[in-house]
Amino acid sequence: MSNDKKLVEAITSMEEDFAQWYTDVVKKAELIDYSSVKGCMVIKPAGYAIWENIQKELDARFKATGVENVYMPMFIPESLLQVEKDHVEGFAPEVAWVTHGGLEPLQERMCVRPTSETLFCDFYAKDIQSHRDLPRLYNQWCSVVRWEKTTRPFLRSREFLWQEGHTAHATEEESEERTIQMLNLYADFCENVLAMPVIKGKKTDKEKFAGAESTYTIEALMHDGKALQSGTSHNFGDGFAKAFGIQYTDKENKLQYVHQTSWGMTTRLIGAIIMVHGDNSGLVLPPKIAPTQVMIIPIQQKKEGVLEKASELKEQLLNNGFRVKVDETDKSPGWKFSEAEMRGIPVRVEVGPKDIEAGQCVVVRRDTREKTVVSFEELNQKVAEILGAMQHDLLERARTHREAHTYSAAAYEEFKEILETKPGFVKAMWCGDEACENKIKEDTSATSRCMPFEQETISEKCVCCGKDAKKLVYWGKAY
């Protein structure tokens, strides 16, 4: 069995070095590989399969709200990017520029899209004429490029995959309604599919998206106590419409500006899944998102009838809607067990000659390691029960962890001490002044994560300056 342990021993324990543990997991579970392009990663089949499931689940939810998919060019002319001043200033440090086409210098630089607001606005200005053309509910699945200085697989890379929704509406009310609707959709997806609890709230003006009137966010807490912004939804009001001349004639035949939204989620979610649910044996994938839900491991597979029974069980489970594989490699059973755990497969089924003789198999649950002997006839029902229980328990475990690492502070010294000694969220009151936000970041490295929709009063005074408080804010150190 000594060889079987090597796969797991190669993972640094999360208690020893969480950042190294994360890197070990994404590499050993074969989610990514590093590429020759600095700051960019190769997403391998195991990683891309998770993204495909995220994409499939989200896409169905988008379409249920009337959203249609489109595709915009990946290049943006510099003049187009310059139209909305705040927007271009917000993205200027991260933009990658194309200066040549073949051997010829371009007459105008093109940026590789960091986001597509300007392209959608340019399109909407031509596409929308009348109130009958509204609302426009579009989304695109694509990659974007942001020239990050420090990169980490899934969490921050120079090119990443995402979806970006861009909608246009007749009124401010409709625009705000859609902005909140999509944030709620994201929160529901994170909790019910990724088993990841989130805090819903509004970003401060300092933290909002460049060019937006308001930005709403869902914030998750990772196992190491750092926050991760997991999805955002922006209300642009009519600011972009005025900059780009996006107007429509209303029912009274008067010209009006449209109101717009934008919302997005990225491959960063895969990093979140790893850091919320993973353990020292590797990945732990929520069953609803796991590309393989059940791995069947034949024991003494060269003996007559073992592989045949494994294949039979696979078909039985496939026919009941489970995502199943059989590990037929010539590795030892112990190695296969470690590998299935490393890859986060929710359930493994062990079957050998003695099991076949007894008409049963051993079912092992990934998160708790609980083993259950199950008859072949009852396997479908037991697998369904375990997957359902695991999905539920992962969410509750993550929620319990978040609550245990969420603190409240009324005084500034207490606030600073918590941020220095206790990883997690800190709830504290804020006066609304950006100077206090800046001082808190300077003193503690923590940022405002959001002003939660569910407000409470910890004290009447701002935790930083002592002036009258306006909002409760979640603060934390973040990825």
Side-chain angles (χ1 to χ4, degrees), residues 46-62:
Y48 199 81
I50 297 171
W51 179 243
E52 284 180 311
N53 283 349
I54 288 172
Q55 192 173 18
K56 180 182 174 185
E57 290 279 351
L58 277 176
D59 201 60
R61 283 167 167 74
F62 295 161

Side-chain angles (χ1 to χ4, degrees), residues 4-5 7-8 281 334-343:
D4 301 333
K5 290 182 181 178
L7 194 72
V8 173
S281 294
W335 181 277
K336 292 179 182 182
F337 298 162
S338 292
E339 194 163 49
E341 288 190 352
M342 164 73 77
R343 296 183 187 281

Side-chain angles (χ1 to χ4, degrees), residues 204 221 225 227 405-407 409 415 419 424-431 433 436-438 440-441 444 446-450 462-464 471-478:
T204 63
L221 192 69
H405 294 82
T406 300
Y407 309 94
F415 178 76
L419 283 165
F425 286 131
V426 184
K427 296 188 289 186
M429 306 307 290
W430 175 56
C431 61
D433 191 337
C436 285
E437 266 189 281
N438 292 334
I440 287 170
K441 186 175 182 179
T444 67
T447 54
S448 61
R449 304 316 307 157
C450 71
C462 173
V463 73
C464 182
K471 289 284 184 180
L472 171 82
V473 175
Y474 273 77
W475 307 84
K477 297 176 183 178

Side-chain angles (χ1 to χ4, degrees), residues 3 21 39 42 81 110 135 144 156 188 211 256 278 298 307 327 399 469 479:
N3 286 339
W21 167 84
V42 175
L81 197 67
M110 299 271 190
V144 291
R156 203 172 286 278
D188 179 76
Q256 306 286 355
L307 281 178
D327 188 342
R399 187 175 276 130
Y479 282 99

Side-chain angles (χ1 to χ4, degrees), residues 68-294:
E68 298 176 290
N69 285 331
V70 297
Y71 189 82
M72 293 285 162
M74 71 182 299
F75 302 114
I76 306 172
E78 186 171 13
S79 58
L80 195 62
L81 197 67
Q82 297 284 355
V83 172
E84 216 287 334
K85 181 174 171 288
D86 290 342
H87 187 67
V88 70
E89 283 181 1
F91 279 98
E94 300 176 342
V95 169
W97 292 102
V98 177
T99 58
H100 283 67
L103 299 175
E104 299 296 320
L106 298 177
Q107 287 187 323
E108 180 182 13
R109 290 196 303 175
M110 299 271 190
C111 89
V112 184
R113 64 177 167 226
T115 181
S116 302
E117 276 72 20
T118 54
L119 289 170
F120 272 91
C121 287
D122 186 51
F123 171 68
Y124 282 150
K126 302 163 194 164
D127 188 56
I128 297 169
Q129 307 298 327
S130 161
H131 65 89
R132 295 183 187 88
D133 298 327
L134 297 171
R136 281 282 191 260
L137 308 174
Y138 289 159
N139 172 68
Q140 76 166 341
W141 294 93
C142 64
S143 70
V144 291
V145 172
R146 297 181 186 175
W147 217 254
E148 301 280 2
K149 290 185 175 70
T150 306
T151 59
R152 185 178 291 181
F154 295 120
L155 300 179
R156 203 172 286 278
S157 55
R158 287 180 174 171
E159 182 188 14
F160 56 89
L161 304 178
W162 78 348
Q163 58 73 211
E164 50 177 315
H166 295 270
T167 70
H169 304 268
T171 67
E172 186 181 342
E173 291 75 21
E174 286 178 30
S175 178
E176 179 70 4
E177 185 182 341
R178 172 60 64 165
T179 308
I180 299 298
Q181 179 185 14
M182 300 317 290
L183 189 82
N184 287 334
L185 184 153
Y186 285 158
D188 179 76
F189 168 77
C190 282
E191 300 208 342
N192 292 317
V193 179
L194 305 186
M196 186 171 77
V198 294
I199 303 292
K200 294 188 289 187
K202 187 178 182 179
K203 286 285 191 185
T204 63
D205 284 347
K206 174 181 165 62
E207 296 290 331
K208 73 181 180 182
F209 183 80
E213 274 195 9
S214 52
T215 289
Y216 300 95
T217 181
I218 50 172
E219 299 285 327
L221 192 69
M222 304 299 100
H223 189 80
D224 64 344
K226 282 190 179 176
L228 189 77
Q229 180 178 289
S230 303
T232 49
S233 189
H234 317 285
N235 188 347
F236 292 145
D238 59 5
F240 276 90
K242 286 176 177 174
F244 284 85
I246 313 171
Q247 290 181 291
Y248 70 97
T249 52
D250 65 15
K251 292 176 182 177
E252 280 73 46
N253 213 32
K254 292 178 182 175
L255 273 178
Q256 306 286 355
Y257 286 105
V258 301
H259 293 257
Q260 292 171 267
T261 80
S262 172
W263 27 273
M265 275 185 154
T266 80
T267 35
R268 162 177 278 217
L269 286 175
I270 299 174
I273 294 167
I274 297 165
M275 292 194 292
V276 169
H277 301 303
D279 61 21
N280 285 330
S281 294
L283 274 177
V284 178
L285 291 174
K288 287 185 181 179
I289 212 69
T292 302
Q293 295 171 315
V294 183

Side-chain angles (χ1 to χ4, degrees), residues 270-441:
I270 299 174
I273 294 167
I274 297 165
M275 292 194 292
V276 169
H277 301 303
D279 61 21
N280 285 330
S281 294
L283 274 177
V284 178
L285 291 174
K288 287 185 181 179
I289 212 69
T292 302
Q293 295 171 315
V294 183
M295 180 64 80
I296 299 172
I297 297 179
I299 312 295
Q300 295 180 289
Q301 65 185 41
K302 290 183 180 177
K303 292 209 170 180
E304 188 179 348
V306 174
L307 281 178
E308 289 78 4
K309 176 52 76 173
S311 181
E312 186 185 308
L313 293 177
K314 175 186 173 184
E315 290 304 311
Q316 177 183 325
L317 290 165
L318 283 172
N319 291 335
N320 278 267
F322 302 111
R323 299 188 286 274
V324 193
K325 285 185 178 177
V326 176
D327 188 342
E328 296 183 23
T329 61
D330 59 2
K331 298 167 186 169
S332 71
W335 181 277
K336 292 179 182 182
F337 298 162
S338 292
E339 194 163 49
E341 288 190 352
M342 164 73 77
R343 296 183 187 281
I345 294 165
V347 169
R348 82 169 182 260
V349 175
E350 304 166 10
V351 61
K354 290 181 181 177
D355 299 307
I356 294 168
E357 199 176 309
Q360 64 190 29
C361 52
V362 177
V363 178
V364 185
R365 176 174 155 170
R366 168 63 181 88
D367 59 331
T368 62
R369 311 301 206 285
E370 183 184 350
K371 292 188 175 186
T372 312
V373 175
V374 182
S375 70
F376 294 143
E377 293 76 23
E378 294 175 329
L379 183 59
N380 294 335
Q381 182 186 341
K382 191 63 186 176
V383 166
E385 283 175 13
I386 290 173
L387 293 178
M390 183 173 166
Q391 184 76 32
H392 171 272
D393 293 352
L394 285 177
L395 175 61
E396 290 310 310
R397 206 172 295 140
R399 187 175 276 130
T400 299
H401 177 268
R402 186 189 70 190
E403 295 311 313
H405 294 82
T406 300
Y407 309 94
S408 298
Y412 197 46
E413 289 307 314
E414 178 192 20
F415 178 76
K416 288 193 292 185
E417 185 186 353
I418 292 170
L419 283 165
E420 191 177 326
T421 60
K422 297 176 180 176
F425 286 131
V426 184
K427 296 188 289 186
M429 306 307 290
W430 175 56
C431 61
D433 191 337
E434 192 175 307
C436 285
E437 266 189 281
N438 292 334
K439 180 170 172 53
I440 287 170
K441 186 175 182 179

